[in-house]
Amino acid sequence: MGHSAPVWDCRAATEITQDWNGIDQVVLRNPKGASARISLHGGQVCSWRNEQGEELLFTSSKAIFKAPKAMRGGISICFPQFGSCGSLEQHGFVKNKIWTIDDNPPPMCSDDIEGGSFVDLLYRSSEEDLKFWPYSFELRLRASLLPDGDLVLRSRIRNVNGKPFGFSFAYHTHLVVSDISEVRIEGLETVDFLDNLCQKERFTEQGDAITFESEVDRVYVSTPNVIAVLDHERKRTYVIRKEGLPDVVVWNPWEKKSKAMVDFGDEEYKQMLCVNGAALERPITLRPGEEWTGKLQLTVVPSSFSFDL
Ligand code: BG6
């Protein structure tokens, strides 16, 4: 994808390349060969690969790489809203903006520093943004690739506004799966969900793992902090750990909706599942000077591996 000469930044062990639009992307690598690529366009994670070089995040073959819209795939940062409401863009506007590298982020508490290679990105609300969302904020994202290949995203949102504001947030995460009908999610059993396909009506999930045989678009509320996506065919499990993100959106467009999306292949719903750590049901409120943190950690393990849910 990149076409410029790589420049190594020894301090953070990162490489900077550029996408087709000339927008910088930061490549993180670990010593075993895993990698992650994060774009300054929206702070979007465009790629996360394991030690074998296999891509773990889905990007549509029909994705449109044209600013200002974020491309369909990877992990996009949805703020100050997820979904659509009022005049704001669907899933918020920061995913469609150009962020900067934050060379001097405010310190994090030492328990919050994961190690590995990382990059700090920053988006500050602009005069233009204030016209349709009149609250000044700073959104910082630290994206880290740990020595074992885990991907960690830590977002910090600070109110630099004179009055409080409320928001919702999501990491819109497109996972690659081998075949959606062979996938199940564990950890959401008996949890309540709002069904976007039934006017957000509230239901309670059954006691079994979630499987897929038709379109799904749900917001699971007040979920456990660890859930797992098991890809039976590939014998691979994604473990999703989250903090500050009580809710989880599960989305697969299935056949009909796939065909209706211009930037999504007709059959691609079979190879993709969105499982988004989010704070949606109860919006977060920040008073002036306050900061909120939402952390997502993604791990991939062989399905035989046992972990505590
Ligand atoms: C999902 C939402 O996560 O994202 C769906 O729950 C939505 O309702 C989907 O259709 C895709 O949204 P977009 O804006 O990327 O087409």
Side-chain angles (χ1 to χ4, degrees):
M1 171 116 203
H3 52 74
S4 64
V7 177
W8 280 94
D9 171 355
C10 298
R11 184 186 64 86
T14 62
E15 182 187 348
I16 312 268
T17 61
Q18 290 180 316
D19 71 11
W20 301 110
N21 300 311
I23 297 168
D24 283 350
Q25 298 198 330
V26 182
V27 182
L28 307 176
R29 294 187 198 285
N30 83 355
K32 296 181 191 157
S35 66
R37 185 158 39 84
I38 302 101
S39 175
L40 267 60
H41 185 170
Q44 185 168 16
V45 182
C46 299
S47 166
W48 172 43
R49 289 176 186 266
N50 64 14
E51 293 169 18
Q52 288 73 43
E54 292 165 333
E55 182 58 63
L56 304 168
L57 297 178
F58 168 88
T59 294
S60 173
S61 62
K62 290 191 159 180
I64 299 168
F65 295 91
K66 192 162 180 273
K69 289 274 181 205
M71 64 89 183
R72 188 171 296 283
I75 305 176
S76 51
I77 309 289
C78 302
F79 170 87
Q81 72 173 11
F82 185 78
S84 57
C85 179
S87 57
L88 280 185
E89 283 163 64
Q90 159 103 337
H91 299 342
F93 54 85
V94 299
K95 67 182 172 51
N96 297 335
K97 301 288 181 173
I98 302 302
W99 298 30
T100 56
I101 292 182
D102 191 4
D103 287 323
N104 196 15
M108 293 199 269
C109 107
S110 55
D111 289 352
D112 292 345
I113 297 170
E114 281 88 21
S117 63
F118 64 87
V119 63
D120 287 299
L121 300 186
L122 169 65
Y123 183 74
R124 279 198 176 97
S125 47
S126 67
E127 287 296 317
E128 182 60 27
D129 299 338
L130 293 174
K131 289 183 195 156
F132 46 94
W133 203 67
Y135 309 104
S136 300
F137 64 89
E138 291 172 351
L139 198 177
R140 291 191 161 77
L141 170 69
R142 172 167 292 189
S144 308
L145 183 69
L146 304 194
D148 57 8
D150 282 14
L151 178 69
V152 182
L153 301 177
R154 181 185 296 276
S155 291
R156 293 190 283 168
I157 293 167
R158 176 172 289 277
N159 181 340
V160 292
N161 196 57
K163 51 185 188 244
F165 62 71
F167 64 88
S168 52
F169 182 95
Y171 290 106
H172 195 347
T173 305
H174 300 71
L175 301 174
V176 167
V177 296
S178 52
D179 176 356
I180 187 67
S181 54
E182 297 285 327
V183 169
R184 63 179 205 265
I185 301 181
E186 291 185 359
L188 297 176
E189 300 84 350
T190 71
V191 172
D192 279 7
F193 65 87
L194 312 176
D195 195 338
N196 285 333
L197 302 178
C198 298
Q199 291 78 45
K200 300 193 191 323
E201 197 180 331
R202 195 176 186 108
F203 298 94
T204 302
E205 188 54 71
Q206 307 292 306
D208 303 324
I210 301 168
T211 53
F212 297 88
E213 50 194 27
S214 59
E215 182 183 0
V216 172
D217 189 354
R218 298 175 180 172
V219 179
Y220 287 84
V221 297
S222 305
T223 62
N225 278 334
V226 186
I227 60 171
V229 178
L230 289 85
D231 185 335
H232 185 66
E233 193 172 303
R234 199 164 277 163
K235 298 187 172 41
R236 185 161 81 185
T237 298
Y238 293 92
V239 183
I240 301 172
R241 296 185 175 82
K242 53 193 182 57
E243 291 171 23
L245 301 164
D247 309 319
V248 169
V249 182
V250 177
W251 178 60
N252 183 288
W254 219 255
E255 203 171 347
K256 195 165 152 224
K257 205 159 271 178
S258 296
K259 289 185 175 151
M261 289 189 284
V262 284
D263 57 347
F264 196 85
D266 291 358
E267 300 285 318
E268 284 184 329
Y269 71 93
K270 294 175 183 165
Q271 272 79 54
M272 186 222 68
L273 178 62
C274 279
V275 184
N276 310 335
L280 298 183
E281 196 202 15
R282 289 194 200 98
I284 312 289
T285 301
L286 286 180
R287 290 193 295 260
E290 280 185 339
E291 186 173 86
W292 168 87
T293 300
K295 176 185 164 187
L296 187 75
Q297 177 156 359
L298 301 180
T299 308
V300 170
V301 292
S303 289
S304 52
F305 194 85
S306 69
F307 49 86
D308 295 325
L309 282 183

